[in-house]
Amino acid sequence: MNANATPGILSGYRVIDCSIAMAGPFAAQRLGDLGADVIKVEPTSGEWQRHAPAGGATGKEINVSFLSLNRNKRSVAVNLKDPDGRELLYDLVRDADVFLQNYRPGVAERLGVDYASLREINPGLVYVSISGYGEDGPYRDRPGQDLLLQAMSGAMLSAGAKGTPPQAAGQYLVDAVTASTAFEGALAALLHRERTGQGQKVSVNMLDAITTLQMQELSVYLMGTRPQERSAQPHAHVYIRSPYGTFATSDGYLALAMPDLKLLGELIGEPSFSALDNELAGWNQRDEVYEKTAAKLAKESTGHWMRVLGEAGIWVGPVYGYSDLVSDPQIEHNGTFIEYDHPVEGRITSPGFPYQFSETPPRVDRGAPRVGEHTREVASELGIEQERVQRLIDASVIAESPSV
């Protein structure tokens, strides 16, 4: 860490991260990126994500998916089923600002780390609880997995061709939006505490997060009473007029969004569009409009159509793979990807920060930790004697990895 660096916007705040997998760790990492001291409390064997590398991408010692979700954290490895382990966590909670967990419903209570228990220790605590479907209700015990929530939320049936199996998004969309929701909730609760001195519980669930993300689509259904009817178009959206979606070109693919039909017809050489009304034809003849557009766009390259359509003001864009994305000049200009050195894994390249602050820029102060790398360090900060720390290590109540 650069001692002369400007303090982050959350410098001085402490976050206890007891979450696993993606949504919780990602939310906690966002807090750490803004300067909070995030202490990841994980089992002595390590958090689940350490042992389940996404895409099979393992690192030298820490797999890539864990690296991507746990920078700017310190690791304390504790067996919370042991009373001595819980006492260590309680010591951490006394001076913490945020506690974040995504245990299955009922687990926090069994471990003694539910909101009611921790509020007794620290009334000003902001307690963020993430669940799949809600902490109670008929689905509380269902598995909160990304694909299952995308399916249940209705999002899959807003795109794709009628009669074909619905497709999930190409990323862990529900996990990501849930992480952002938890991050926003934590910040809002901290602001409330600054104004009132009151801590509180923030409850976030994946089902509500992905449902409310569809604010526009569901409002069209609920208030506009338009049914969710898929068309024959393979890449269309049920609530957007044709032509809309992705189209094959002679050398790749192109994304096209709601062009003026008369102008589009002139540019692609489809004279029948000159007599069409944008809105009426875009809905009533959407399959025909899509098919004619697709046939014309397939005759020229993506670059050709980017020039011809883009210069005319039509909303058009290339369909990128990751290899295209990472070398794009706008991405490079924005500094979207960051690089830093990890003491075990070497040079790390990863997505950076989706926001910038003129006075308190986010940064990486440390890479993802090894299991229990900071157990002894944090215990010392709590005033725990080293003799007691060693006894707890010998009893497998806590674990440590040597710092590097």
Side-chain angles (χ1 to χ4, degrees), residues 100-389:
L100 191 151
Q101 58 87 357
N102 62 351
Y103 297 120
R104 296 186 308 277
V107 172
E109 287 81 3
R110 289 200 297 273
L111 292 175
V113 298
D114 54 295
Y115 178 56
S117 298
L118 299 191
R119 181 177 55 184
E120 292 295 317
I121 299 169
N122 181 352
L125 186 68
V126 169
Y127 186 104
V128 182
S129 176
I130 302 172
S131 62
Y133 300 83
E135 294 181 22
D136 47 34
Y139 301 156
R140 57 164 272 168
D141 294 321
R142 286 190 179 184
Q145 196 276 333
D146 191 284
L147 175 66
L148 308 184
L149 271 301
Q150 285 196 46
M152 183 180 171
S153 72
M156 289 188 191
L157 285 175
S158 282
K162 189 176 187 178
T164 62
Q167 297 295 312
Q171 63 284 325
Y172 297 110
L173 178 64
V174 182
D175 282 328
V177 72
T178 304
S180 293
T181 304
F183 172 64
E184 293 164 4
L187 293 178
L190 284 174
L191 178 60
H192 173 79
R193 195 187 68 173
E194 293 297 316
R195 291 173 169 172
T196 67
Q198 296 176 340
Q200 64 179 301
K201 182 179 181 180
V202 180
S203 298
V204 174
N205 72 74
M206 299 170 75
L207 179 59
D208 285 350
I210 186 60
T211 299
T212 55
L213 185 69
Q214 301 171 79
M215 180 68 70
Q216 181 170 260
E217 292 88 344
L218 280 163
S219 295
V220 170
Y221 173 76
L222 292 167
M223 295 183 288
T225 66
R226 290 191 67 96
Q228 200 179 12
E229 292 179 350
R230 300 162 89 201
S231 72
Q233 303 170 42
H235 311 294
H237 190 288
V238 296
Y239 292 135
I240 300 179
R241 68 170 176 83
S242 187
Y244 178 92
T246 54
F247 296 82
T249 65
S250 63
D251 64 351
Y253 299 93
L254 187 78
L256 179 67
M258 303 171 294
D260 179 271
L261 288 178
K262 294 181 176 61
L263 176 58
L264 178 66
E266 294 173 10
L267 296 171
I268 67 174
E270 180 49 67
S272 65
F273 286 2
S274 62
L276 297 181
D277 176 272
N278 272 328
E279 296 303 323
L280 292 178
W283 287 110
N284 300 335
Q285 298 164 254
R286 61 180 183 172
D287 292 346
E288 177 187 344
V289 168
Y290 182 92
E291 289 164 5
K292 288 183 175 180
T293 302
K296 295 294 183 178
L297 293 180
K299 296 180 178 180
E300 298 287 350
S301 69
T302 298
H304 170 82
W305 293 123
M306 284 294 298
R307 289 189 299 274
V308 170
L309 302 181
E311 289 174 4
I314 285 178
W315 294 353
V316 64
V319 177
Y320 275 174
Y322 285 162
S323 60
D324 305 303
L325 176 71
V326 298
S327 59
D328 182 85
Q330 186 67 49
I331 288 286
E332 201 171 305
H333 172 81
N334 290 350
T336 304
F337 291 91
I338 58 173
E339 294 187 354
Y340 58 93
D341 291 315
H342 189 280
V344 174
E345 302 298 329
R347 195 69 171 164
I348 301 293
T349 303
S350 69
F353 320 108
Y355 31 64
Q356 296 295 331
F357 299 90
S358 62
E359 306 302 324
T360 53
R363 64 176 184 267
V364 177
D365 287 334
R366 64 176 82 241
R370 295 191 292 173
V371 180
E373 183 175 337
H374 305 94
T375 298
R376 193 177 290 270
E377 173 183 296
V378 172
S380 178
E381 292 173 3
L382 295 173
I384 299 174
E385 306 87 353
Q386 289 302 307
E387 182 181 349
R388 180 187 168 200
V389 172

Side-chain angles (χ1 to χ4, degrees), residues 15-26:
V15 177
I16 310 302
D17 175 18
C18 283
S19 64
I20 67 169
M22 180 177 173
F26 198 6

Side-chain angles (χ1 to χ4, degrees), residues 21-22 25-26 29 47-59 62-71 172 368:
M22 180 177 173
F26 198 6
Q29 177 173 279
E47 193 244 290
W48 173 82
Q49 186 77 284
R50 291 186 184 273
H51 311 293
T58 57
I62 304 173
N63 71 53
V64 171
S65 54
F66 186 88
L67 285 170
S68 69
L69 298 169
N70 291 283
R71 69 185 179 217
Y172 297 110

